[in-house]
Amino acid sequence: MEVDALVVGSGPNGLVAANLLADAGWETLVIEATPKPGGAVRTEELTAPGFRNDVYSAFYPLGAASPVLAGLGLEDHGLRWRHAPAVLAHVLPDDRYVLQSRDLERTASSVAEFDERDADNLRAEHASWRRLREPLLDAIVRPFPPVRPGARLVKTLGTAESLRLARMLTLTARGLGKEKFAGEGARLLLAGNAMHTDLGPDQAGSGVFGWLLTMLGQDVGFPVPEGGAGRLTDALVNRLTAKGGEIVCGTPVTEVTLSGGRAVGVRDADGRSVRARRAVLADVPAPVLYRDLVGAEHLPARLVSDLDRFVWDDATIKVDWALSSPIPWSAAEVGGAGTVHIGADLDGLAGIAHDLACGRVPRDPFLLLGQMTTADPTRSPAGTESAWAYTHVPRGESWPDSRVRRHADRMEEVIERHAPGFRDLIAGRAIAGPAQLQKGNHSLVEGSINAGTAAIQQQLFFRPVPGLGRADTPIDRLFLASASAHPGGAVHGAPGSNAARAALARDGWAGSVYRATVRAAHRAVYR
């Protein structure tokens, strides 16, 4: 069999790449190892009949705001966004909470309960965000370096403010919170949102992640696809097949086949080969692509050496619940939030991050919890709640089923402290530790959900290793299309889009010049 392009992996990045190549008229085949497409964007009845649980990811602020996904018109292929009454609540150990809503004044009122000055501070920050939103998001999701979006951003902000924005990219969430806000509530929005990565509030670069998610939450909310995360996958698949693309599942790829330093196809676990006339795109983690599918003998020695220093993000334990009624929070307003952060104040978040950095399992886990029926009533029968929570644990630990269950019990204890009677509502639960997450999705290596740390030393042209920061690899016509590539994790489609753009450029009228330029740059980086 021979096609124009092969895409290895059917996560959102792989499906975005395949759609863009199909748009260009390429005959495109997506090959997926697991029985169903979607990668970390899937929905199943994990807990009880009638309860739709998102197996991995669930809320998609970057998906709703992404210029890449917006350009695909997925609403024409079945995607519908739904919102909880409130975006997010961060619950402190003493049951105080800060609430974020898409209604700016409601959020301002909540942060003002911690310090009245922060109502105006939040309004000012939101006004600044609205001014730079479009060029900033475009700069984030486009290929590195983002010359045109970057120029638009500088034009919008001016030189002085652009320099200050660049400085902000390096700040810790704690430091940025102190600069922007006076009270604990608003600062916790930044720090709690930073914890959606593997960065604690005192790590360089954590501030911009917390700020971006907070501003997006204020702007587009933390929406969910109606009917489950899998509906986003369905929309991408529907669009691709309508364009003539094809997906084959249950077919693990074991090798990218090469000829003359060029990717020419793949071989699967049964020894079958498929050839690619124009490109191979890999929506798999960088170490898997380079070490397992290509092989060190075909790569520059310095790239192979750099992979020894590749840093994964933390491991994860996730619990899904079928609840007989909504969670009975002591602070009733928390029940309206789609996303809930539970378990720590700012110093507590720092302590948890420190424990993880030291290889210790935090004694009191910090939970990110989703109230899915609150966000989308189609997720479970009327009067019930489909809910989940996850927490991070150190990589490299042994997590037999019994230990995972004990940790899930601890997670439930944390919720019970803030919602007495929670445990009595559990009609079913499903638990996934690091090994189970990887078994279900081969890209979640040891339970890492972002295909590599979000730390500053592995961003931009340091992602996945020091290099060009682009989808191009040292192998001609082979492109990295996963979250291991710039700009990293979350469901926004950017790595897939960037890989498709690179493949199209390589095959275009100036393809030989493009390849010569990339090849020279790689030689300079890896010599």
Side-chain angles (χ1 to χ4, degrees):
M1 182 178 183
E2 184 172 286
V3 294
D4 289 325
L6 286 168
V7 179
V8 181
S10 69
N13 286 311
L15 292 174
V16 165
N19 269 278
L20 294 177
L21 295 176
D23 286 350
W26 287 26
E27 184 183 4
T28 305
L29 174 65
V30 180
I31 303 179
E32 168 60 37
T34 61
K36 295 181 180 180
V41 181
R42 284 176 41 205
T43 304
E44 305 282 352
E45 287 191 352
L46 298 175
T47 53
F51 286 78
R52 297 183 61 78
N53 307 107
D54 291 336
V55 184
Y56 306 106
S57 60
F59 290 93
Y60 302 119
L62 273 164
S66 169
V68 171
L69 295 186
L72 297 178
L74 297 178
E75 289 78 6
D76 295 334
H77 298 274
L79 177 64
R80 299 288 181 272
W81 293 113
R82 299 295 298 263
H83 294 267
V87 176
L88 181 151
H90 188 116
V91 181
L92 284 85
D94 61 4
D95 265 340
R96 289 179 302 146
Y97 64 94
V98 59
L99 189 80
Q100 183 174 32
S101 165
R102 286 185 294 158
D103 180 340
L104 179 61
E105 292 309 309
R106 189 179 179 196
T107 310
S109 175
S110 184
V111 298
E113 292 183 14
F114 292 83
D115 192 301
E116 62 183 15
R117 293 169 291 180
D118 280 338
D120 286 338
N121 290 337
L122 179 69
R123 295 185 190 105
E125 196 61 32
H126 185 252
S128 297
W129 159 256
R130 295 294 298 173
R131 187 161 66 99
L132 60 83
R133 177 190 191 274
E134 289 189 15
L136 178 62
L137 287 175
D138 214 28
I140 289 171
V141 302
R142 298 309 179 192
F144 188 85
V147 177
R148 290 182 182 177
R152 286 177 55 211
L153 191 57
V154 172
K155 183 178 179 180
T156 299
L157 293 178
T159 302
E161 288 305 310
S162 296
L163 285 171
R164 284 155 181 80
L165 177 62
R167 172 183 174 273
M168 189 184 82
L169 301 181
T170 70
L171 292 178
T172 67
R174 186 191 297 269
L176 182 62
K178 286 183 177 179
E179 291 187 5
K180 297 287 187 181
F181 300 110
E184 185 179 16
R187 293 173 181 177
L188 277 171
L189 290 178
L190 296 181
N193 278 321
M195 297 286 283
H196 285 241
T197 69
D198 62 325
L199 302 182
D202 295 314
Q203 289 178 264
S206 60
V208 69
F209 285 102
W211 174 83
L212 179 62
L213 283 180
T214 301
M215 291 299 103
L216 284 171
Q218 196 58 60
D219 188 1
V220 300
F222 279 21
V224 303
E226 183 179 77
R231 295 294 174 84
L232 173 56
T233 294
D234 292 344
L236 286 164
V237 169
N238 292 343
R239 188 184 189 280
L240 175 61
T241 54
K243 293 283 184 177
E246 185 180 354
I247 302 174
V248 176
C249 293
T251 307
V253 168
T254 57
E255 180 185 354
V256 173
T257 53
L258 309 177
S259 178
R262 170 184 167 179
V264 296
V266 302
R267 184 172 288 110
D268 68 21
D270 292 326
R272 296 170 298 194
S273 295
V274 183
R275 292 185 61 82
R277 291 184 287 265
R278 291 175 160 180
V280 176
L281 295 82
D283 182 11
V284 300
V288 174
L289 172 62
Y290 289 131
R291 293 192 182 281
D292 300 338
L293 303 187
V294 173
E297 66 273 19
H298 299 295
L299 297 166
R302 179 160 283 188
L303 170 59
V304 175
S305 175
D306 285 340
L307 283 171
D308 292 336
R309 292 183 285 277
F310 180 87
V311 179
W312 294 95
D313 45 301
D314 297 319
T316 306
I317 292 176
K318 180 175 182 284
V319 186
D320 287 276
W321 294 281
L323 303 176
S324 60
S325 68
I327 299 174
W329 300 102
S330 297
E333 201 173 20
V334 175
T339 300
V340 185
H341 299 162
I342 321 166
D345 58 12
L346 188 58
D347 288 342
L349 295 177
I352 288 166
H354 184 259
D355 282 342
L356 291 171
C358 293
R360 295 191 296 260
V361 177
R363 181 173 180 176
D364 293 311
F366 172 67
L367 306 186
L368 284 84
L369 181 145
Q371 301 185 112
M372 303 313 299
T373 308
T374 296
D376 171 16
T378 71
R379 301 298 184 93
S380 68
T384 67
E385 186 78 59
S386 173
W388 58 264
Y390 78 76
T391 191
H392 289 307
V393 293
R395 290 181 60 81
E397 293 269 328
S398 174
W399 286 96
D401 290 347
S402 58
R403 189 183 183 196
V404 173
R405 286 195 299 271
R406 288 196 300 272
H407 203 74
D409 292 342
R410 290 174 64 189
M411 293 168 67
E412 291 178 356
E413 289 171 6
V414 172
I415 301 169
E416 183 79 20
R417 285 200 295 268
H418 301 281
F422 165 76
R423 282 179 153 170
D424 296 334
L425 306 178
I426 298 174
R429 76 174 184 177
I431 306 168
Q436 291 84 2
L437 291 171
Q438 182 174 347
K439 182 179 180 181
N441 181 343
H442 301 168
S443 290
L444 304 183
V445 178
E446 293 186 41
S448 294
I449 60 178
N450 281 317
T453 181
I456 197 168
Q457 76 270 13
Q458 206 161 285
Q459 293 295 330
L460 304 174
F461 49 83
F462 301 128
R463 192 170 188 89
V465 296
L468 308 185
R470 299 178 62 85
D472 308 88
T473 74
I475 306 297
D476 188 20
R477 296 184 184 266
L478 175 64
F479 304 92
L480 179 62
S482 72
S484 285
H486 171 77
V491 177
H492 42 61
S497 172
N498 293 342
R501 286 169 174 255
L504 292 167
R506 172 63 184 93
D507 199 67
W509 64 270
S512 59
V513 175
Y514 180 90
R515 174 55 184 163
T517 302
V518 170
R519 187 175 184 181
H522 277 139
R523 282 177 173 171
V525 170
Y526 297 124
R527 65 183 178 187

